[in-house]
Amino acid sequence: MRLIRKSIKNIWQIIVIVWLVFAYQLMLNMVPDEVKLIDGDLSKLDISMPVTFECRDSGKRFIDTSVMENQQLQSSMDKAGDERNEIDMVSDTVVLRAKLFGIIPIKDVQADIVAEQEVYASGENIGIYVQTDGIFVIGTGNFEGMDGVLYAPAQNVLKSGDYICAVDGVELENKEALMDAVDKCEGKSLVLRIRRNGETLELYIQPKLSKEETYKLGVWVRDDLAGIGTLTYISQDGNYGALGHAVTDMDTGSMLEVGTGKLYNSRLVGIVKGESGKPGELSGVINYEEKYCMGDIEENCERGIYGTLHEKNNLLEHAVAYPVGYKQDIEPGEAEIISDIDGTIAHYKIRITEVNYRKNKENKSILFEVEDAALLESTGGIVQGMSGSPMIQNGRLIGAVTHVFVDDAKKGYGIFIEDMLEMGKTSNP
């Protein structure tokens, strides 16, 4: 019995330790690593936890603020009389020490002091056309040669995700140039200059004569991609951000390295409603005439596409200026998305169910569910083509729609607008 009691005690100790570790890790995830605080204004750091933030500057002076008491952190030097309560604004970044119940240290949080920012929320449907930076390799395969034998010259030489940049030192403009160079090789080996995971390589490859009497490599390639999405925001200087996620190859799922790209006006022609296990989509027609070109795509990354608009004034006819809401401003509850599903930009009701601060979930930081009856009737919820739809809560632009739950079209993910704006500044210095 003594042995049994000891074993039970040990088991309970292990359970308690595991629970404490789990609880601590949960708290780490519930406190953001970085926040932005508006200079000269009061910003509430309400993260729905009994956490006190102790703010220190580079001079090691402190100011305390308690979320439990709904106090606000003031990022200006209005307490100059008390040296321990000053923030030296020589630096635009301070460090917040997060403490549970004001006692137990959890983590340090970087706080960037920023000015009040306002941007235009769009919701406009856009046509997207990009050309890859090099000829993108989708995959390899075999073909029948003149002698009836199956050949696969590119197998184990080229890989899915490679970019073919040149053949025998000659730069390639498009996939037709690649096909022409291969066909004219007269059976000689070729030197391909490729880019793989950011590294430039030179590979030797031996084309084979196919039964169609043309030389081939046995490789599937792509050099451009087109689709539709939603314009998220327009800044005061005419820069924009859209989608909230990268433009990816439809076959491999890889983010495309873009050489050039354009935004165009698009016209919606139909809706495929989303259903369990099958995401829906908006169908549209893109007009590629130069007069319908809206702007340039200068950056394609995990947080969306970014660039400069040619004429922002036309787009601003339907856009509304909103102050920027930061991650600590977002709360579970009612919100709206702005989207165009029938040729008209409209607001649709959603409910935010969770806010996730983990960096590895940066374009899945906001979990929400569609509650708007009209949107559910038309689309079933979130469908492809709505990516980039602005998210509004409490009169602030807080994020953009990025993904839909495959098994439930009523549910979706969003990205923090501050993450999109940060990338937009990087792309448009």
Side-chain angles (χ1 to χ4, degrees):
M1 291 298 295
R2 184 181 303 145
L3 182 60
I4 294 174
R5 286 196 296 269
K6 184 176 181 180
S7 298
I8 294 174
K9 181 180 179 181
N10 290 338
I11 291 173
W12 274 109
Q13 287 176 339
I14 293 173
I15 292 174
V16 170
I17 291 172
V18 170
W19 183 86
L20 289 173
V21 171
F22 173 78
Y24 182 73
Q25 187 62 47
L26 183 63
M27 284 188 292
L28 286 179
N29 292 333
M30 292 180 68
V31 177
D33 294 327
E34 300 176 359
V35 295
K36 289 181 171 59
L37 303 176
I38 298 175
D39 186 19
D41 196 359
L42 299 178
S43 292
K44 186 186 297 182
L45 291 174
D46 187 357
I47 58 173
S48 302
M49 284 185 64
V51 171
T52 294
F53 289 92
E54 182 184 78
C55 180
R56 67 176 66 184
D57 65 5
S58 58
K60 305 303 181 185
R61 293 174 296 203
F62 303 95
I63 181 170
D64 293 337
T65 180
S66 173
V67 172
M68 296 175 64
E69 300 172 1
N70 285 327
Q71 293 178 354
Q72 298 172 321
L73 175 64
Q74 186 167 0
S75 59
S76 60
M77 295 176 61
D78 62 344
K79 296 183 179 180
D82 185 350
E83 191 175 69
R84 282 184 54 83
N85 287 320
E86 292 180 10
I87 294 181
D88 186 355
M89 296 306 296
V90 172
S91 171
D92 59 357
T93 300
V94 294
V95 177
L96 308 179
R97 173 67 54 81
K99 294 183 178 181
L100 184 63
F101 302 115
I103 301 173
I104 305 172
I106 300 176
K107 67 194 302 184
D108 283 348
V109 178
Q110 177 179 307
D112 296 325
I113 310 302
V114 297
E116 178 79 72
Q117 187 174 6
E118 191 175 73
V119 295
Y120 293 91
S122 176
E124 180 109 357
N125 191 269
I126 52 174
I128 300 165
Y129 176 75
V130 297
Q131 291 181 308
T132 58
D133 185 12
I135 313 304
F136 180 75
V137 176
I138 300 171
T140 62
N142 54 41
F143 58 88
E144 186 177 347
M146 284 288 291
D147 53 7
V149 177
L150 292 179
Y151 292 99
Q155 190 173 5
N156 300 322
V157 178
L158 294 171
K159 297 181 179 180
S160 175
D162 287 347
Y163 289 84
I164 306 173
C165 303
V167 176
D168 287 342
V170 179
E171 300 288 335
L172 299 173
E173 293 185 0
N174 49 45
K175 62 184 178 182
E176 286 75 20
L178 171 64
M179 295 169 60
D180 186 58
V182 171
D183 190 41
K184 292 179 178 179
C185 73
E186 299 180 347
K188 299 178 183 178
S189 293
L190 300 174
V191 179
L192 304 184
R193 187 171 81 243
I194 71 163
R195 191 171 62 254
R196 177 180 295 166
N197 299 325
E199 182 182 2
T200 300
L201 305 171
E202 288 194 345
L203 307 175
Y204 289 86
I205 193 167
Q206 177 70 59
K208 294 293 184 180
L209 192 62
S210 70
K211 66 177 183 179
E212 292 84 12
E213 298 186 10
T214 59
Y215 284 97
K216 295 183 178 181
L217 299 179
V219 60
W220 299 97
V221 296
R222 176 174 288 122
D223 62 0
D224 64 359
L225 188 69
I228 63 172
T230 301
L231 185 65
T232 305
Y233 73 83
I234 306 168
S235 64
Q236 303 287 343
D237 54 4
N239 295 321
Y240 74 86
L243 292 188
H245 63 70
V247 174
T248 58
D249 176 69
M250 64 187 74
D251 295 299
T252 66
S254 302
M255 182 178 73
L256 292 177
E257 297 180 17
V258 175
T260 60
K262 300 284 186 181
L263 291 190
Y264 291 92
N265 289 119
S266 66
R267 178 172 56 86
L268 294 175
V269 295
I271 299 173
V272 177
K273 291 184 70 170
E275 56 187 49
S276 181
K278 186 179 179 182
E281 65 176 349
L282 301 179
S283 300
V285 175
I286 303 173
N287 193 320
Y288 293 105
E289 292 184 48
E290 185 62 31
K291 65 180 179 180
Y292 295 108
C293 182
M294 300 163 60
D296 299 312
I297 299 174
E298 298 164 3
E299 180 75 20
N300 178 41
C301 66
E302 295 293 349
R303 298 180 183 179
I305 57 174
Y306 302 88
T308 306
L309 297 173
H310 295 167
E311 290 290 341
K312 70 172 183 176
N313 292 334
N314 294 335
L315 292 169
L316 294 184
E317 292 179 5
H318 306 292
V320 176
Y322 287 92
V324 171
Y326 297 104
K327 58 170 70 88
Q328 69 269 17
D329 300 322
I330 306 172
E331 56 190 20
E334 294 182 0
E336 294 179 320
I337 60 173
I338 306 174
S339 197
D340 178 2
I341 62 171
D342 57 6
T344 303
I345 298 174
H347 291 239
Y348 299 100
K349 294 179 181 179
I350 63 170
R351 177 168 294 276
I352 295 175
T353 57
E354 185 179 337
V355 182
N356 194 323
Y357 297 124
R358 285 178 291 177
K359 282 192 173 182
N360 63 339
K361 300 288 186 181
E362 65 177 16
N363 61 10
K364 292 184 177 181
S365 301
I366 305 171
L367 279 69
F368 68 92
E369 185 169 351
V370 175
E371 293 188 336
D372 195 283
L375 184 58
L376 291 171
E377 176 65 24
S378 298
T379 65
I382 303 300
V383 296
Q384 296 177 26
M386 292 176 67
S387 294
S389 298
M391 305 177 73
I392 309 296
Q393 188 180 59
N394 297 326
R396 290 182 174 271
L397 175 61
I398 60 169
V401 174
T402 57
H403 298 81
V404 60
F405 280 54
V406 175
D407 58 349
D408 189 350
K410 296 191 298 293
K411 298 179 180 179
Y413 291 105
I415 183 175
F416 296 138
I417 194 64
E418 64 186 86
D419 288 340
M420 291 190 69
L421 290 169
E422 181 179 353
M423 186 54 62
K425 289 177 182 177
T426 303
S427 305
N428 302 286

